[in-house]
Every structure is written in structure tokens, then in C-alpha cells.
Amino acid sequence: MTPQASQQHPSPPLVSGPSVARQRCINPGCGASFAITDTLTACPSCAALLDIVYDWTASGARAATTLPPGTPAWMRWTFASLPAKTRADTSGVWKFRRLMPFYDDEKNIVTIGEGKTILQNADLLARHLGFEPGTLHLQYEGQNPSGSFKDNGMTAAFTHAKMVGATVCACASTGNTSAAMAIYASQCGIKPVIFIGQGKIAYGKLSQALDYGALTLQVAGDFDACLAKVRYIAENIPRAGVYLMNSVNPFRLEGQKAVMYRVLEGLCWQVPDWIVVPGGNLGNCSAFGKAFAELLDLGMIDRVPRLAVINAAGSSTLDRIYNGLGVRWNGGKYFSDGGKAKVDAEYARMYAHNERASTIATAIEINRPVNLAKALRALEIMKGDANEGIVRSVGDETIKHYKAAVGKFGFGCEPASAASVAGAHMLRQEGLIKPGQTVACILTGHILKDPDVTVSYHTGLDAKASKQPLPTERPPGQYANPPVPVADDLGEILRAMGVDTTGLDLSGAAKATGKVAKEY
Ligand code: F0G
């Protein structure tokens, strides 16, 4: 940027907070909107998910990004950057705060230096897999403070939690959400409570939750059961005072948009042809879709990448719904054109057959992805040069194979993350990814998150089978923080959380949080 240019286009001030940001129901047929100071996990009118929406004109972002036609994207970005550098600029999320101005005061931003991750050029891996040099990139989110991409979302959600005065936070997790939530909670003085399915979490992640001092409830159920319980408590039991940190929290997804900003930054704001991401609860891909819709709206980019969401074959609900049942977002008509009804029927079928998710990639071992509707929307937004995004599934052996390949060429990741590279290679072999197209795979979690899978792959040792059951006596260490086993029962869970259940009517809870969990 030349000095003359900056004088002609001084960067406008940034306005943030309730005057420029609102929460809005994603169902266009509803469209209800709420103040950002409300704590909500779903639309109170129609139970659909919520978005954070902005008045980009009032926030200054539109003026900051509007430059004459033909201005290169990188120059738009330069103009959009902020007038002065502050502490928030040390975060790889908040340096993009002009694109997420919901916080009330910059001084109240909760950050632990997340998002200092870069887009890595993976030329050796590319050559090995038959991609052209310079076309395969890995966005290495395992380098975040808690070792996964979740920190991008937690910094935003905790900033909101502080805004609304939360004192207890909770999440259901396959491991990384809990690790990220626990580190932020313990740094900013909010009590963390974690719900994990018994035997469903990699030890690297469990060790983080315990060390960061979270109350860790090992529920005798799977992730879907845990999420139904914690969501019910957050929504219906005010005396528990729980602020929910799962990705139904729309503020979390605001932070996760930054993963895409950094991919663009790594490519000097040249839009890649493909973004390939593992899909579990589908928060990440949902955030990516929103990021690109907003960048287009602001004129900062003039094309979008094509999205490929990769499921594990043992946990492939999105694949079945998208490819098998042909359900689409359809401009939001999903809620009324029979799409959502098909999803509900599929969930009922899964329940009737007692179908459970099962994959070595425990991070994405999820049957009922809560962000399904937003993910369908992202697949419509991120269509690249085609009509829509793509969904594929990869099996456990394939995941292990590509995980080892990622490690061999110097990056390393946990099993779920390798699904992105496996998926990209599959799409290249199918001819959907064309020679020379630029691909960014998201490596969502660090290699050390799940050492059992790595050791077992390289040695043949079944590390999981050789583990002893947890001892029942309390360990002697002064700070010992053992997990608390609980039945898959709301009353027992609440008592383990220290909530007095005397006189509490839990009769309606069984239906809402049991196997036939309420769908959102
Ligand atoms: N990769 C890793 C390493 C994850 O931990 C997760 C999700 C995903 C991919 C999938 O992302 O849910 O946004 O589609 N882990 C969650 C958890 C569910 O509880 O840690 P998603």
C-alpha cells in the first residue's frame, strides 16, 4: 500500500458490540432476532440454530472494504485492517476482529494467543500423493494452545461468556472441545464441567481436561447422549447456571471463521479451489461457509472455494443425508421442503436400529451432528466453480494410512484430521479435484492428542486393550482430579455437578434427553 493510497482511503474506525451485532434464527421462514447479550443455544421460537449477524455499515467494515472495482483482494484486505495495533492483534483470531465485531469492549476479549497457525505448503506429501507442486496445503490447527482448532471458537465464546457474566460453563465432547474449554475456563475463572462418553475419548485429550481442573463427568453413554443432557441442563435448569460451550453456541463459530481468514492470508488472498475438512458435529464447515458468504458480501473476494466435508465411514450421517437422501439447504427451504422431515425420519430409523457411531477417529464419532442445517448451507455457499460442495466418507484403515503419511512428511495430526487428506486424495483420484487446482486441507488436531492410535499403527500393539480400568480409589496427588463416573441419568448428573435437585421436576427431561433426543 502506498502512503498516498492510505491517505485517500483512511481505515474507518471499528464499532463493535450490541449496536452492530445481533443473533438471528437461520430459518428464513422464522428469522427471529435477539440481542447479543442474550444467552441462547437455539431459536426460542422455532428451535433452529442461531447466527450472529452484523450491520457492516455501522461497524465500519463495509467502508473499510469498499474500494473501486478491480482492486486486488490483498489490497482490499490491507485497507480493511485496523487503524492501530493493540493486544488483540497478537491473536490469530482477533486480528480479524473487524469481521466479528460482537464483543463490547476490546479490553474484555478473552485470548490465550490462539490462532497462530499457518497454511503449510505440503510439497513432499503432494508429490507422494500425485498432486502438482505448490497445490496441496495443510492448515495446521494442531498448533493452537490446546492442540486443536477448537481454540479459535473458544476465544470467541469465552469473550461472550464474560460479556454475559457466566460463572459455570459446560460442554459435551469427544475430547478437543473439552480440552479447549477447560484451558480457557481455568484461565478466566469460569468453572468448567465436561461431559464425556465412557471410553470414547483419546487419553491425550482426557489428560488435558483433568490437568486444567475441569469437573469431568464420564457418562455411561456416547457423545450424542452427553450433548442431549448438557444441552437440556443449559436450556432448562437455570439453577445449574450453565453457559453452553458446544458449537450450537453461535459465538464459537464466529471465532472459527478465522481459520479461513488465515488460509486466505497464507495464499495472499488468492481464493483456493478447494477446502477439505473432516466433519463431526459440523461446526467447523458451518463456520467456513459463513466466513465466505460474508467476505463475498463485503466484496473482499470475488469467488469461493468448493467445500469437501469428509466423514468417517463409521460415523457418516451427513454423507447419508446429503448423498443418500439428497437433502439440501435449498436457500433455507430445508425447513419446509421436506428436507428436515427426511432428516428427522433418518434419525428415527437410526434409533429404531440402535445405530451408533463407531470409528477410530473418536473426535468425529458422532451420529447426530447438531450443526447439520448450517453445514448444508455451507455446502450450498461453497460451491467453487461447480453447483455445490461435496461430502465423502473414508474408512478407519484409510484414516490410519493417511495419518501416517501426514506424519511421515513432517506435519503430524490426530486420526480425525487425516480424514481431510484422505478425502482430498480420493477426490483427486475421482478427477473432481483437477490437476493444478489449489487445495487446503484442515489438520484439525495435534499428533499427540491420540498417541495410542499412532503407537498401535507403528508397532502393532493394541494400546487401548492393554489399558487397565481406572482405579476406584482417589489418587494421592494434591491436585489429583479424577473423572467422576455417572449413569446416563439427568438427576445423577446434576447431583455430580453439585446442583441441589430437591423439588426439581425432571419428568419431562427423560424424553428430551433420552435416546429419542430432541432434534434442533
Ligand atoms: N477434527 C477434530 C480433531 C475434532 O476434535 C473435531 C470435533 C472435528 C474434526 C470435527 O469438527 O465437529 O466442527 O465438524 N470434535 C468435537 C469435540 C466434536 O467434542 O472435540 P466439527
Side-chain angles (χ1 to χ4, degrees), residues 117-121 137-140 262-267 439-442:
T117 64
I118 55 167
L119 189 72
Q120 310 266 1
N121 199 346
H137 304 271
L138 302 176
Q139 179 64 28
Y140 194 10
R262 294 197 296 274
V263 167
L264 287 170
E265 192 176 47
L267 295 170
V439 182
C441 294
I442 314 303

Side-chain angles (χ1 to χ4, degrees), residues 355-373:
E355 275 181 24
R356 300 272 148 201
S358 173
T359 167
I360 194 155
T362 49
I364 51 176
E365 193 176 49
I366 294 172
N367 243 348
R368 296 171 177 227
V370 280
N371 289 295
L372 182 81

Side-chain angles (χ1 to χ4, degrees), residues 78-337:
T78 309
F79 283 115
S81 65
L82 296 154
K85 297 276 176 228
T86 69
R87 185 172 168 270
D89 290 288
T90 61
S91 157
V93 172
W94 294 105
K95 67 180 180 174
F96 300 109
R97 61 199 175 283
R98 208 185 258 294
L99 298 171
M100 47 187 86
F102 68 80
Y103 55 90
D104 52 359
D105 186 329
E106 211 181 294
K107 291 200 290 296
N108 299 334
I109 284 175
V110 177
T111 172
I112 60 170
E114 58 288 317
K116 291 182 182 160
T117 64
I118 55 167
L119 189 72
Q120 310 266 1
N121 199 346
D123 269 353
L124 292 179
L125 180 64
R127 192 191 305 155
H128 181 71
L129 299 179
F131 286 83
E132 291 67 31
T135 60
L136 183 65
H137 304 271
L138 302 176
Q139 179 64 28
Y140 194 10
E141 291 300 307
Q143 285 176 328
N144 271 291
S146 84
S148 88
F149 74 93
K150 303 283 179 183
D151 296 357
N152 292 284
M154 287 301 165
T155 184
F158 274 90
T159 297
H160 182 252
K162 282 298 232 189
M163 255 170 96
V164 298
T167 54
V168 181
C169 62
C171 69
S173 182
T174 58
N176 283 324
T177 298
S178 57
M181 184 186 87
I183 192 173
Y184 279 88
S186 298
Q187 288 226 3
C188 71
I190 295 181
K191 177 183 169 187
V193 185
I194 286 165
F195 291 55
I196 51 168
Q198 206 147 19
K200 298 282 184 189
I201 181 172
Y203 265 21
K205 305 172 190 184
L206 179 63
S207 68
Q208 290 181 285
L210 302 179
D211 226 37
Y212 297 140
L215 169 61
T216 304
L217 304 180
Q218 270 195 358
V219 180
D222 59 11
F223 172 83
D224 299 288
C226 287
L227 184 52
K229 294 284 183 308
V230 71
R231 206 169 165 182
Y232 186 88
I233 292 171
E235 289 170 3
N236 299 296
I237 306 196
R239 72 170 83 168
V242 160
Y243 181 99
L244 188 66
M245 285 292 176
N246 280 101
S247 53
V248 289
N249 178 331
F251 294 93
R252 250 193 65 187
L253 299 195
E254 285 308 285
Q256 285 173 219
K257 296 189 301 189
V259 177
M260 288 300 101
Y261 306 149
R262 294 197 296 274
V263 167
L264 287 170
E265 192 176 47
L267 295 170
C268 298
W269 288 82
Q270 298 299 309
V271 176
D273 297 299
W274 289 87
I275 297 289
V276 189
V277 63
N281 226 3
L282 305 178
N284 229 7
C285 59
S286 298
F288 298 173
K290 186 170 190 279
F292 278 104
E294 290 172 349
L295 291 175
L296 260 188
D297 175 31
L298 286 167
M300 294 181 63
I301 52 172
D302 52 15
R303 56 186 285 265
V304 288
R306 194 165 185 196
L307 174 66
V309 183
I310 313 298
N311 277 165
S315 166
S316 57
T317 307
L318 177 67
D319 188 358
R320 269 198 324 285
I321 285 171
Y322 193 68
N323 296 319
L325 301 175
V327 176
R328 294 292 183 273
W329 172 247
N330 196 11
K333 295 197 193 72
Y334 160 79
F335 293 98
S336 55
D337 69 0

